Amino acid sequence: MEVFKNPQNVGEIPDADGEGTLGNPKCGDVMKVQIKVEKDDKGKEVITDCKVQTFGCVAAIASSSTMTDMVIGKTVEEAKKLTNAEVAEELGGLPPVKMHCSNLSADALKKAIENYEKKRS
Amino acid sequence: MVEMKEVYLDNGATTMVDPLVVKAMQPLFSEIYGNASSLHHQGEAAKHKLNEAREAIAKAINAKFDELIFTSGGTESDNLAILGVASAHDKSLKDHIITSKIEHPAVLNTCKYLESLGYSVTYLDVDTEGFIDLDQLENSITDRTLLVSIIHGNNEIGTIQDVEAIGKICKKHGVLFHMDAVQSFTKTSIDVKKIDVDLISMSSHKIHGPKGVGALFVRKGTKIASVFKGGGHEFKLRPGTENVPGIVGFAKAVSLASSSHIKQMSKLRDKLIRSVLDEIPNTKLNGPKGDRRLCNNVNISFASLEGEALGAYLDIEGICTSTGSACSSQTLEPSHVLLSIGVSHEIANGTLRMTLSRFTKEEDIDYTIDALKRYVEKLRKMSPINTIIKKL
């Protein structure tokens, strides 16, 4: 509930390196994830910023915020491995009926990373 | 610490029990506790209280003393009306029921159950304000039609059906008419001498009475059988020792309701509706305006956000509301009522129901309008689909 009260990293990155939108307003949830990627001094690609816009319920808003907190500072390769279950766990668990909400945030991030990699190549 | 403000706008779900009701119920627990069927003085005293309560509630709808059956609540009353009428009639002759698409689950699922037993059910369409079409009703009646069951005041969008007209059509064709008045009882006048209605479901906890009590009006001469099997209580229609404290509380709640409350609630309802529609863009009222709407019901769709999230933010401010939206309940399906009046899935998900009571104050409404403005803006700023969703 604390996360929901003050969701983190809400908004847009004007010069994002990758972005992905996932979901369907008909079933209730849409998430747009944007990432900023920079190479660190060892040459690894690190996600330096992640912003999200969410249309959805309490769980969707909270899980999208939690996801951004989890990936900022991670390398792209690490971020790719993030699963919806991990986001839900970090959030303190979700009822089964809501699991599709947290599924969305990890999957939307994956779309943003795919978009970043396509742009780069 | 500052005490959190509490604004309760979910009176369609349940209401605060009026302290005067609690006071009226108090002696019925440890002073007058007899079984109303017992012949000793304790039983007699309980019976007396029970009779008084029955008399008072019957009078409120202009019914006779023995036309009022006490039940455990609205759901049981709906079940008793529909199943009781069905089982008292010969199914080989009468096996058709007419209802609407916007009924409460207590009626809808009872009708579905009868379908599984081989009955046929017609679910009448409603227009964009939630009204049934009287021509469609009349055209649906056949010589096999047993019962028409229509919700009087809709629990979600507040539509008050023209039950006088519905009753006339039913009477003309010799079909029984049951109305679910759980939301409308005491919020609009119900007079069984003016309405050709055979059965009316009522509930106590929607009108500041205790939970677990309801009533079914059964017009004299209506063919109906009990659903529960047991003793001969409630004119042999509803076995089980009467819940005298609850019934006495129900009667007290009825006696406290007045038409001045209807006026007061309507005024605040209209202020809330007007302010939201005028001051928050992309909003839409569901259900009718004015006298054909329940005096305490506000149901508004907000584009580009989800009602459940809005309700959760309002709750942080101490405001209790409800949604009929996707994530709100155990199911992910939007409200069948909103879909029936032609609201799209997306918009149905962004809907909030606010239901007032006679305890709602103008400052509660002002506080709610202010919070709504702030949180609708917050959620829309958060939302990526401001531009995707079509404008209301």
Side-chain angles (χ1 to χ4, degrees), chain B residues 10-15 61 152-154 158 160 181-190 203-209 254 257-263 265-266 269 290-297 355-358:
Chain B
D10 199 14
N11 291 282
T14 194
T15 58
I61 57 169
H152 187 202
N154 185 268
I160 300 176
V182 165
Q183 294 287 340
S184 59
F185 181 46
T186 72
K187 294 188 192 78
T188 180
S189 84
I190 296 173
S203 169
S204 155
H205 78 100
K206 308 285 192 195
I207 62 164
H208 306 289
V254 172
S258 101
S259 56
S260 68
H261 299 143
I262 298 177
K263 263 192 194 157
M265 283 187 269
S266 303
R269 172 199 69 184
D291 292 344
R292 298 196 302 166
R293 182 181 197 99
L294 283 174
C295 62
N296 71 331
N297 175 290
T355 39
L356 289 60
S357 81
R358 60 183 160 88

mmCIF file of all heavy atoms in Angstrom, chain B residues 10-15 61 152-154 158 160 181-190 203-209 254 257-263 265-266 269 290-297 355-358:
data_model
loop_
_atom_site.group_PDB
_atom_site.id
_atom_site.type_symbol
_atom_site.label_atom_id
_atom_site.label_comp_id
_atom_site.label_asym_id
_atom_site.label_seq_id
_atom_site.Cartn_x
_atom_site.Cartn_y
_atom_site.Cartn_z
ATOM 1 N N ASP B 10 -20.701 4.346 0.709
ATOM 2 C CA ASP B 10 -20.963 3.015 0.175
ATOM 3 C C ASP B 10 -22.226 2.444 0.800
ATOM 4 O O ASP B 10 -22.297 1.278 1.179
ATOM 5 C CB ASP B 10 -19.744 2.099 0.431
ATOM 6 C CG ASP B 10 -19.765 0.877 -0.473
ATOM 7 O OD1 ASP B 10 -20.533 0.868 -1.452
ATOM 8 O OD2 ASP B 10 -19.009 -0.070 -0.192
ATOM 9 N N ASN B 11 -23.232 3.318 0.925
ATOM 10 C CA ASN B 11 -24.488 2.913 1.568
ATOM 11 C C ASN B 11 -25.322 1.966 0.715
ATOM 12 O O ASN B 11 -26.303 1.408 1.199
ATOM 13 C CB ASN B 11 -25.292 4.154 1.961
ATOM 14 C CG ASN B 11 -24.620 4.916 3.094
ATOM 15 O OD1 ASN B 11 -24.711 4.534 4.249
ATOM 16 N ND2 ASN B 11 -23.898 5.983 2.759
ATOM 17 N N GLY B 12 -24.941 1.801 -0.534
ATOM 18 C CA GLY B 12 -25.597 0.792 -1.363
ATOM 19 C C GLY B 12 -25.138 -0.604 -0.958
ATOM 20 O O GLY B 12 -25.830 -1.592 -1.188
ATOM 21 N N ALA B 13 -23.947 -0.677 -0.362
ATOM 22 C CA ALA B 13 -23.424 -1.973 0.099
ATOM 23 C C ALA B 13 -24.032 -2.316 1.449
ATOM 24 O O ALA B 13 -24.623 -3.375 1.640
ATOM 25 C CB ALA B 13 -21.904 -1.924 0.207
ATOM 26 N N THR B 14 -23.866 -1.399 2.385
ATOM 27 C CA THR B 14 -24.540 -1.538 3.673
ATOM 28 C C THR B 14 -24.488 -0.181 4.373
ATOM 29 O O THR B 14 -23.775 0.720 3.919
ATOM 30 C CB THR B 14 -23.917 -2.627 4.561
ATOM 31 O OG1 THR B 14 -24.820 -2.918 5.652
ATOM 32 C CG2 THR B 14 -22.573 -2.202 5.138
ATOM 33 N N THR B 15 -25.235 -0.046 5.453
ATOM 34 C CA THR B 15 -25.314 1.243 6.128
ATOM 35 C C THR B 15 -24.919 1.113 7.595
ATOM 36 O O THR B 15 -24.898 0.015 8.147
ATOM 37 C CB THR B 15 -26.759 1.784 6.097
ATOM 38 O OG1 THR B 15 -27.604 0.804 6.716
ATOM 39 C CG2 THR B 15 -27.229 2.036 4.674
ATOM 40 N N ILE B 61 -45.759 0.064 3.694
ATOM 41 C CA ILE B 61 -46.018 -0.145 2.255
ATOM 42 C C ILE B 61 -47.517 -0.338 1.999
ATOM 43 O O ILE B 61 -47.920 -0.778 0.926
ATOM 44 C CB ILE B 61 -45.214 -1.351 1.688
ATOM 45 C CG1 ILE B 61 -45.512 -2.654 2.455
ATOM 46 C CG2 ILE B 61 -43.710 -1.055 1.695
ATOM 47 C CD1 ILE B 61 -44.967 -3.908 1.778
ATOM 48 N N HIS B 152 -36.512 -2.878 -8.669
ATOM 49 C CA HIS B 152 -37.188 -1.575 -8.592
ATOM 50 C C HIS B 152 -36.180 -0.443 -8.766
ATOM 51 O O HIS B 152 -36.233 0.299 -9.735
ATOM 52 C CB HIS B 152 -37.928 -1.469 -7.247
ATOM 53 C CG HIS B 152 -38.788 -0.247 -7.126
ATOM 54 N ND1 HIS B 152 -39.159 0.260 -5.905
ATOM 55 C CD2 HIS B 152 -39.336 0.573 -8.050
ATOM 56 C CE1 HIS B 152 -39.914 1.332 -6.103
ATOM 57 N NE2 HIS B 152 -40.024 1.541 -7.381
ATOM 58 N N GLY B 153 -35.244 -0.333 -7.822
ATOM 59 C CA GLY B 153 -34.185 0.675 -7.932
ATOM 60 C C GLY B 153 -32.868 -0.053 -8.120
ATOM 61 O O GLY B 153 -32.477 -0.839 -7.259
ATOM 62 N N ASN B 154 -32.199 0.181 -9.248
ATOM 63 C CA ASN B 154 -30.990 -0.607 -9.520
ATOM 64 C C ASN B 154 -29.861 -0.281 -8.554
ATOM 65 O O ASN B 154 -29.550 0.886 -8.301
ATOM 66 C CB ASN B 154 -30.536 -0.415 -10.967
ATOM 67 C CG ASN B 154 -29.364 -1.307 -11.297
ATOM 68 O OD1 ASN B 154 -28.213 -0.899 -11.157
ATOM 69 N ND2 ASN B 154 -29.645 -2.530 -11.667
ATOM 70 N N GLY B 158 -28.803 3.072 -10.133
ATOM 71 C CA GLY B 158 -29.876 3.839 -9.518
ATOM 72 C C GLY B 158 -31.167 4.001 -10.300
ATOM 73 O O GLY B 158 -32.072 4.713 -9.854
ATOM 74 N N ILE B 160 -34.752 3.795 -11.422
ATOM 75 C CA ILE B 160 -36.012 3.363 -10.797
ATOM 76 C C ILE B 160 -37.005 3.023 -11.908
ATOM 77 O O ILE B 160 -37.426 3.890 -12.673
ATOM 78 C CB ILE B 160 -36.593 4.462 -9.873
ATOM 79 C CG1 ILE B 160 -35.600 4.800 -8.746
ATOM 80 C CG2 ILE B 160 -37.927 4.005 -9.284
ATOM 81 C CD1 ILE B 160 -36.054 5.937 -7.835
ATOM 82 N N ALA B 181 -36.969 -4.692 -4.132
ATOM 83 C CA ALA B 181 -36.955 -3.305 -3.648
ATOM 84 C C ALA B 181 -35.896 -3.111 -2.565
ATOM 85 O O ALA B 181 -36.011 -2.226 -1.719
ATOM 86 C CB ALA B 181 -38.339 -2.922 -3.131
ATOM 87 N N VAL B 182 -34.858 -3.936 -2.604
ATOM 88 C CA VAL B 182 -33.823 -3.879 -1.561
ATOM 89 C C VAL B 182 -33.183 -2.486 -1.490
ATOM 90 O O VAL B 182 -32.960 -1.948 -0.411
ATOM 91 C CB VAL B 182 -32.773 -4.996 -1.789
ATOM 92 C CG1 VAL B 182 -31.514 -4.760 -0.970
ATOM 93 C CG2 VAL B 182 -33.384 -6.354 -1.438
ATOM 94 N N GLN B 183 -32.924 -1.891 -2.652
ATOM 95 C CA GLN B 183 -32.310 -0.557 -2.654
ATOM 96 C C GLN B 183 -33.347 0.571 -2.553
ATOM 97 O O GLN B 183 -33.043 1.651 -2.061
ATOM 98 C CB GLN B 183 -31.485 -0.340 -3.935
ATOM 99 C CG GLN B 183 -30.265 -1.240 -4.061
ATOM 100 C CD GLN B 183 -29.124 -0.865 -3.132
ATOM 101 O OE1 GLN B 183 -29.048 0.251 -2.636
ATOM 102 N NE2 GLN B 183 -28.222 -1.804 -2.888
ATOM 103 N N SER B 184 -34.535 0.327 -3.053
ATOM 104 C CA SER B 184 -35.506 1.420 -3.160
ATOM 105 C C SER B 184 -36.382 1.604 -1.913
ATOM 106 O O SER B 184 -36.908 2.697 -1.687
ATOM 107 C CB SER B 184 -36.417 1.186 -4.369
ATOM 108 O OG SER B 184 -37.097 -0.053 -4.229
ATOM 109 N N PHE B 185 -36.526 0.561 -1.114
ATOM 110 C CA PHE B 185 -37.408 0.621 0.047
ATOM 111 C C PHE B 185 -36.986 1.765 0.977
ATOM 112 O O PHE B 185 -35.821 1.847 1.365
ATOM 113 C CB PHE B 185 -37.376 -0.729 0.781
ATOM 114 C CG PHE B 185 -38.261 -0.799 1.992
ATOM 115 C CD1 PHE B 185 -39.572 -0.329 1.947
ATOM 116 C CD2 PHE B 185 -37.805 -1.351 3.186
ATOM 117 C CE1 PHE B 185 -40.392 -0.391 3.064
ATOM 118 C CE2 PHE B 185 -38.613 -1.429 4.306
ATOM 119 C CZ PHE B 185 -39.911 -0.945 4.251
ATOM 120 N N THR B 186 -37.925 2.614 1.282
ATOM 121 C CA THR B 186 -37.808 3.855 2.077
ATOM 122 C C THR B 186 -37.110 5.000 1.315
ATOM 123 O O THR B 186 -37.062 6.119 1.797
ATOM 124 C CB THR B 186 -37.074 3.697 3.453
ATOM 125 O OG1 THR B 186 -35.681 3.504 3.220
ATOM 126 C CG2 THR B 186 -37.640 2.565 4.284
ATOM 127 N N LYS B 187 -36.575 4.712 0.115
ATOM 128 C CA LYS B 187 -35.941 5.776 -0.665
ATOM 129 C C LYS B 187 -36.838 6.253 -1.789
ATOM 130 O O LYS B 187 -36.519 7.207 -2.497
ATOM 131 C CB LYS B 187 -34.588 5.321 -1.204
ATOM 132 C CG LYS B 187 -33.593 5.095 -0.081
ATOM 133 C CD LYS B 187 -32.201 4.840 -0.588
ATOM 134 C CE LYS B 187 -31.335 4.348 0.533
ATOM 135 N NZ LYS B 187 -31.600 2.901 0.815
ATOM 136 N N THR B 188 -37.946 5.584 -1.952
ATOM 137 C CA THR B 188 -38.983 6.045 -2.864
ATOM 138 C C THR B 188 -40.263 5.407 -2.334
ATOM 139 O O THR B 188 -40.205 4.388 -1.653
ATOM 140 C CB THR B 188 -38.680 5.657 -4.329
ATOM 141 O OG1 THR B 188 -39.721 6.133 -5.160
ATOM 142 C CG2 THR B 188 -38.560 4.159 -4.508
ATOM 143 N N SER B 189 -41.398 6.035 -2.609
ATOM 144 C CA SER B 189 -42.596 5.502 -1.955
ATOM 145 C C SER B 189 -43.051 4.209 -2.624
ATOM 146 O O SER B 189 -43.016 4.075 -3.841
ATOM 147 C CB SER B 189 -43.711 6.548 -1.952
ATOM 148 O OG SER B 189 -44.395 6.515 -3.172
ATOM 149 N N ILE B 190 -43.443 3.256 -1.777
ATOM 150 C CA ILE B 190 -43.974 1.986 -2.270
ATOM 151 C C ILE B 190 -45.322 1.772 -1.584
ATOM 152 O O ILE B 190 -45.398 1.721 -0.362
ATOM 153 C CB ILE B 190 -43.021 0.819 -1.933
ATOM 154 C CG1 ILE B 190 -41.667 0.993 -2.658
ATOM 155 C CG2 ILE B 190 -43.662 -0.521 -2.319
ATOM 156 C CD1 ILE B 190 -40.609 -0.020 -2.249
ATOM 157 N N SER B 203 -34.873 -5.258 2.555
ATOM 158 C CA SER B 203 -33.742 -5.598 3.416
ATOM 159 C C SER B 203 -33.573 -4.542 4.500
ATOM 160 O O SER B 203 -33.827 -3.363 4.280
ATOM 161 C CB SER B 203 -32.480 -5.685 2.558
ATOM 162 O OG SER B 203 -31.346 -5.750 3.389
ATOM 163 N N SER B 204 -33.115 -4.973 5.644
ATOM 164 C CA SER B 204 -32.959 -4.076 6.789
ATOM 165 C C SER B 204 -31.642 -3.301 6.768
ATOM 166 O O SER B 204 -31.601 -2.107 7.063
ATOM 167 C CB SER B 204 -33.054 -4.911 8.085
ATOM 168 O OG SER B 204 -32.392 -4.293 9.151
ATOM 169 N N HIS B 205 -30.544 -3.975 6.385
ATOM 170 C CA HIS B 205 -29.229 -3.331 6.565
ATOM 171 C C HIS B 205 -28.925 -2.250 5.530
ATOM 172 O O HIS B 205 -27.925 -1.551 5.661
ATOM 173 C CB HIS B 205 -28.114 -4.384 6.617
ATOM 174 C CG HIS B 205 -27.712 -4.937 5.294
ATOM 175 N ND1 HIS B 205 -26.589 -4.504 4.634
ATOM 176 C CD2 HIS B 205 -28.287 -5.874 4.517
ATOM 177 C CE1 HIS B 205 -26.496 -5.179 3.490
ATOM 178 N NE2 HIS B 205 -27.504 -6.009 3.414
ATOM 179 N N LYS B 206 -29.804 -2.097 4.542
ATOM 180 C CA LYS B 206 -29.612 -1.008 3.583
ATOM 181 C C LYS B 206 -30.264 0.280 4.086
ATOM 182 O O LYS B 206 -30.138 1.322 3.469
ATOM 183 C CB LYS B 206 -30.239 -1.353 2.220
ATOM 184 C CG LYS B 206 -29.831 -2.687 1.645
ATOM 185 C CD LYS B 206 -28.427 -2.692 1.083
ATOM 186 C CE LYS B 206 -28.187 -3.966 0.264
ATOM 187 N NZ LYS B 206 -26.770 -4.192 -0.003
ATOM 188 N N ILE B 207 -31.018 0.179 5.176
ATOM 189 C CA ILE B 207 -31.765 1.351 5.654
ATOM 190 C C ILE B 207 -31.449 1.666 7.121
ATOM 191 O O ILE B 207 -32.305 2.096 7.879
ATOM 192 C CB ILE B 207 -33.292 1.174 5.443
ATOM 193 C CG1 ILE B 207 -33.837 -0.026 6.243
ATOM 194 C CG2 ILE B 207 -33.626 0.977 3.964
ATOM 195 C CD1 ILE B 207 -35.349 -0.016 6.382
ATOM 196 N N HIS B 208 -30.195 1.395 7.507
ATOM 197 C CA HIS B 208 -29.711 1.684 8.865
ATOM 198 C C HIS B 208 -30.270 0.748 9.925
ATOM 199 O O HIS B 208 -30.308 1.071 11.104
ATOM 200 C CB HIS B 208 -29.962 3.153 9.253
ATOM 201 C CG HIS B 208 -29.402 4.109 8.244
ATOM 202 N ND1 HIS B 208 -28.055 4.295 8.092
ATOM 203 C CD2 HIS B 208 -30.003 4.872 7.299
ATOM 204 C CE1 HIS B 208 -27.846 5.157 7.107
ATOM 205 N NE2 HIS B 208 -29.004 5.521 6.597
ATOM 206 N N GLY B 209 -30.725 -0.427 9.470
ATOM 207 C CA GLY B 209 -31.124 -1.480 10.398
ATOM 208 C C GLY B 209 -30.006 -2.511 10.489
ATOM 209 O O GLY B 209 -28.975 -2.373 9.827
ATOM 210 N N VAL B 254 -37.248 1.413 9.774
ATOM 211 C CA VAL B 254 -38.314 1.856 8.855
ATOM 212 C C VAL B 254 -39.010 3.089 9.417
ATOM 213 O O VAL B 254 -39.268 4.057 8.700
ATOM 214 C CB VAL B 254 -39.337 0.714 8.608
ATOM 215 C CG1 VAL B 254 -40.543 1.221 7.834
ATOM 216 C CG2 VAL B 254 -38.676 -0.445 7.869
ATOM 217 N N ALA B 257 -37.157 6.406 8.865
ATOM 218 C CA ALA B 257 -37.005 6.933 7.496
ATOM 219 C C ALA B 257 -38.108 7.938 7.205
ATOM 220 O O ALA B 257 -39.236 7.765 7.653
ATOM 221 C CB ALA B 257 -37.079 5.785 6.495
ATOM 222 N N SER B 258 -37.756 9.009 6.500
ATOM 223 C CA SER B 258 -38.803 9.984 6.172
ATOM 224 C C SER B 258 -38.550 10.591 4.797
ATOM 225 O O SER B 258 -37.438 10.538 4.266
ATOM 226 C CB SER B 258 -38.862 11.084 7.236
ATOM 227 O OG SER B 258 -38.200 12.245 6.787
ATOM 228 N N SER B 259 -39.601 11.165 4.242
ATOM 229 C CA SER B 259 -39.474 11.720 2.888
ATOM 230 C C SER B 259 -38.548 12.928 2.859
ATOM 231 O O SER B 259 -37.993 13.262 1.815
ATOM 232 C CB SER B 259 -40.857 12.076 2.336
ATOM 233 O OG SER B 259 -41.493 12.963 3.231
ATOM 234 N N SER B 260 -38.362 13.578 4.024
ATOM 235 C CA SER B 260 -37.432 14.716 4.046
ATOM 236 C C SER B 260 -36.003 14.242 3.794
ATOM 237 O O SER B 260 -35.183 14.969 3.228
ATOM 238 C CB SER B 260 -37.529 15.456 5.379
ATOM 239 O OG SER B 260 -37.031 14.649 6.415
ATOM 240 N N HIS B 261 -35.706 12.996 4.190
ATOM 241 C CA HIS B 261 -34.371 12.437 3.916
ATOM 242 C C HIS B 261 -34.171 12.255 2.422
ATOM 243 O O HIS B 261 -33.063 12.428 1.913
ATOM 244 C CB HIS B 261 -34.187 11.092 4.623
ATOM 245 C CG HIS B 261 -34.299 11.166 6.117
ATOM 246 N ND1 HIS B 261 -34.884 10.188 6.865
ATOM 247 C CD2 HIS B 261 -33.894 12.125 6.989
ATOM 248 C CE1 HIS B 261 -34.847 10.519 8.149
ATOM 249 N NE2 HIS B 261 -34.265 11.703 8.241
ATOM 250 N N ILE B 262 -35.234 11.868 1.731
ATOM 251 C CA ILE B 262 -35.131 11.651 0.279
ATOM 252 C C ILE B 262 -34.736 12.965 -0.390
ATOM 253 O O ILE B 262 -33.839 13.003 -1.236
ATOM 254 C CB ILE B 262 -36.475 11.123 -0.304
ATOM 255 C CG1 ILE B 262 -36.815 9.763 0.329
ATOM 256 C CG2 ILE B 262 -36.408 11.016 -1.822
ATOM 257 C CD1 ILE B 262 -38.143 9.170 -0.093
ATOM 258 N N LYS B 263 -35.396 14.040 0.025
ATOM 259 C CA LYS B 263 -35.110 15.377 -0.534
ATOM 260 C C LYS B 263 -33.660 15.775 -0.273
ATOM 261 O O LYS B 263 -32.951 16.233 -1.161
ATOM 262 C CB LYS B 263 -36.026 16.417 0.111
ATOM 263 C CG LYS B 263 -37.246 16.721 -0.713
ATOM 264 C CD LYS B 263 -37.945 17.954 -0.153
ATOM 265 C CE LYS B 263 -39.331 18.080 -0.746
ATOM 266 N NZ LYS B 263 -40.206 18.880 0.116
ATOM 267 N N MET B 265 -31.066 13.867 0.487
ATOM 268 C CA MET B 265 -30.103 13.026 -0.230
ATOM 269 C C MET B 265 -30.067 13.389 -1.718
ATOM 270 O O MET B 265 -28.994 13.454 -2.310
ATOM 271 C CB MET B 265 -30.440 11.540 -0.062
ATOM 272 C CG MET B 265 -30.048 10.972 1.287
ATOM 273 S SD MET B 265 -30.287 9.175 1.366
ATOM 274 C CE MET B 265 -31.948 9.056 1.997
ATOM 275 N N SER B 266 -31.247 13.652 -2.294
ATOM 276 C CA SER B 266 -31.307 14.021 -3.719
ATOM 277 C C SER B 266 -30.495 15.273 -3.984
ATOM 278 O O SER B 266 -29.792 15.380 -4.990
ATOM 279 C CB SER B 266 -32.746 14.264 -4.171
ATOM 280 O OG SER B 266 -33.532 13.134 -3.917
ATOM 281 N N ARG B 269 -26.847 14.427 -3.739
ATOM 282 C CA ARG B 269 -26.543 13.575 -4.904
ATOM 283 C C ARG B 269 -26.315 14.447 -6.130
ATOM 284 O O ARG B 269 -25.330 14.294 -6.850
ATOM 285 C CB ARG B 269 -27.722 12.626 -5.157
ATOM 286 C CG ARG B 269 -27.637 11.826 -6.449
ATOM 287 C CD ARG B 269 -28.990 11.277 -6.872
ATOM 288 N NE ARG B 269 -29.905 12.338 -7.299
ATOM 289 C CZ ARG B 269 -31.179 12.164 -7.642
ATOM 290 N NH1 ARG B 269 -31.709 10.956 -7.588
ATOM 291 N NH2 ARG B 269 -31.942 13.171 -8.017
ATOM 292 N N GLY B 290 -32.412 12.942 -11.995
ATOM 293 C CA GLY B 290 -33.682 13.398 -11.421
ATOM 294 C C GLY B 290 -34.456 12.342 -10.670
ATOM 295 O O GLY B 290 -33.876 11.440 -10.062
ATOM 296 N N ASP B 291 -35.781 12.460 -10.698
ATOM 297 C CA ASP B 291 -36.650 11.622 -9.871
ATOM 298 C C ASP B 291 -36.645 10.150 -10.255
ATOM 299 O O ASP B 291 -37.115 9.310 -9.489
ATOM 300 C CB ASP B 291 -38.097 12.134 -9.938
ATOM 301 C CG ASP B 291 -38.237 13.482 -9.248
ATOM 302 O OD1 ASP B 291 -37.311 13.835 -8.480
ATOM 303 O OD2 ASP B 291 -39.242 14.179 -9.474
ATOM 304 N N ARG B 292 -36.159 9.849 -11.447
ATOM 305 C CA ARG B 292 -36.155 8.450 -11.858
ATOM 306 C C ARG B 292 -34.852 7.747 -11.453
ATOM 307 O O ARG B 292 -34.570 6.647 -11.884
ATOM 308 C CB ARG B 292 -36.402 8.328 -13.362
ATOM 309 C CG ARG B 292 -37.778 8.884 -13.770
ATOM 310 C CD ARG B 292 -38.175 8.423 -15.129
ATOM 311 N NE ARG B 292 -37.200 8.810 -16.150
ATOM 312 C CZ ARG B 292 -37.170 8.301 -17.385
ATOM 313 N NH1 ARG B 292 -38.055 7.397 -17.734
ATOM 314 N NH2 ARG B 292 -36.274 8.710 -18.254
ATOM 315 N N ARG B 293 -34.061 8.451 -10.608
ATOM 316 C CA ARG B 293 -32.828 7.876 -10.085
ATOM 317 C C ARG B 293 -32.951 7.748 -8.561
ATOM 318 O O ARG B 293 -33.502 8.629 -7.902
ATOM 319 C CB ARG B 293 -31.660 8.809 -10.428
ATOM 320 C CG ARG B 293 -30.328 8.286 -9.977
ATOM 321 C CD ARG B 293 -29.162 9.214 -10.282
ATOM 322 N NE ARG B 293 -27.955 8.445 -10.174
ATOM 323 C CZ ARG B 293 -27.284 7.919 -11.187
ATOM 324 N NH1 ARG B 293 -27.652 8.183 -12.419
ATOM 325 N NH2 ARG B 293 -26.240 7.162 -11.002
ATOM 326 N N LEU B 294 -32.424 6.667 -7.990
ATOM 327 C CA LEU B 294 -32.423 6.529 -6.534
ATOM 328 C C LEU B 294 -31.788 7.771 -5.916
ATOM 329 O O LEU B 294 -30.745 8.244 -6.377
ATOM 330 C CB LEU B 294 -31.630 5.281 -6.110
ATOM 331 C CG LEU B 294 -32.307 3.920 -6.277
ATOM 332 C CD1 LEU B 294 -31.327 2.802 -5.951
ATOM 333 C CD2 LEU B 294 -33.549 3.802 -5.404
ATOM 334 N N CYS B 295 -32.400 8.275 -4.852
ATOM 335 C CA CYS B 295 -31.986 9.543 -4.268
ATOM 336 C C CYS B 295 -30.567 9.524 -3.711
ATOM 337 O O CYS B 295 -29.981 10.569 -3.455
ATOM 338 C CB CYS B 295 -32.971 9.944 -3.173
ATOM 339 S SG CYS B 295 -33.035 8.754 -1.814
ATOM 340 N N ASN B 296 -30.007 8.317 -3.531
ATOM 341 C CA ASN B 296 -28.676 8.254 -2.893
ATOM 342 C C ASN B 296 -27.586 7.722 -3.816
ATOM 343 O O ASN B 296 -26.477 7.491 -3.377
ATOM 344 C CB ASN B 296 -28.738 7.393 -1.627
ATOM 345 C CG ASN B 296 -28.916 5.923 -1.941
ATOM 346 O OD1 ASN B 296 -29.500 5.565 -2.964
ATOM 347 N ND2 ASN B 296 -28.427 5.065 -1.081
ATOM 348 N N ASN B 297 -27.936 7.501 -5.104
ATOM 349 C CA ASN B 297 -26.978 6.822 -5.989
ATOM 350 C C ASN B 297 -26.275 7.748 -6.972
ATOM 351 O O ASN B 297 -26.910 8.522 -7.679
ATOM 352 C CB ASN B 297 -27.718 5.712 -6.753
ATOM 353 C CG ASN B 297 -26.838 5.020 -7.783
ATOM 354 O OD1 ASN B 297 -26.487 5.606 -8.811
ATOM 355 N ND2 ASN B 297 -26.472 3.795 -7.516
ATOM 356 N N THR B 355 -22.618 5.989 -2.909
ATOM 357 C CA THR B 355 -23.999 5.937 -2.444
ATOM 358 C C THR B 355 -24.125 6.608 -1.079
ATOM 359 O O THR B 355 -23.440 6.247 -0.133
ATOM 360 C CB THR B 355 -24.504 4.482 -2.419
ATOM 361 O OG1 THR B 355 -23.456 3.622 -1.962
ATOM 362 C CG2 THR B 355 -24.945 4.021 -3.786
ATOM 363 N N LEU B 356 -25.020 7.601 -1.035
ATOM 364 C CA LEU B 356 -25.176 8.463 0.135
ATOM 365 C C LEU B 356 -26.161 7.861 1.144
ATOM 366 O O LEU B 356 -26.870 6.905 0.831
ATOM 367 C CB LEU B 356 -25.687 9.842 -0.293
ATOM 368 C CG LEU B 356 -24.747 10.774 -1.052
ATOM 369 C CD1 LEU B 356 -24.255 10.187 -2.364
ATOM 370 C CD2 LEU B 356 -25.449 12.100 -1.338
ATOM 371 N N SER B 357 -26.220 8.468 2.296
ATOM 372 C CA SER B 357 -27.261 8.103 3.258
ATOM 373 C C SER B 357 -27.795 9.388 3.882
ATOM 374 O O SER B 357 -27.292 10.473 3.591
ATOM 375 C CB SER B 357 -26.712 7.190 4.357
ATOM 376 O OG SER B 357 -26.049 7.964 5.353
ATOM 377 N N ARG B 358 -28.780 9.231 4.771
ATOM 378 C CA ARG B 358 -29.304 10.436 5.422
ATOM 379 C C ARG B 358 -28.300 11.021 6.402
ATOM 380 O O ARG B 358 -28.487 12.109 6.917
ATOM 381 C CB ARG B 358 -30.640 10.153 6.097
ATOM 382 C CG ARG B 358 -30.617 9.102 7.172
ATOM 383 C CD ARG B 358 -32.046 8.907 7.682
ATOM 384 N NE ARG B 358 -32.243 7.648 8.365
ATOM 385 C CZ ARG B 358 -32.042 7.451 9.662
ATOM 386 N NH1 ARG B 358 -31.598 8.432 10.414
ATOM 387 N NH2 ARG B 358 -32.273 6.271 10.203
#
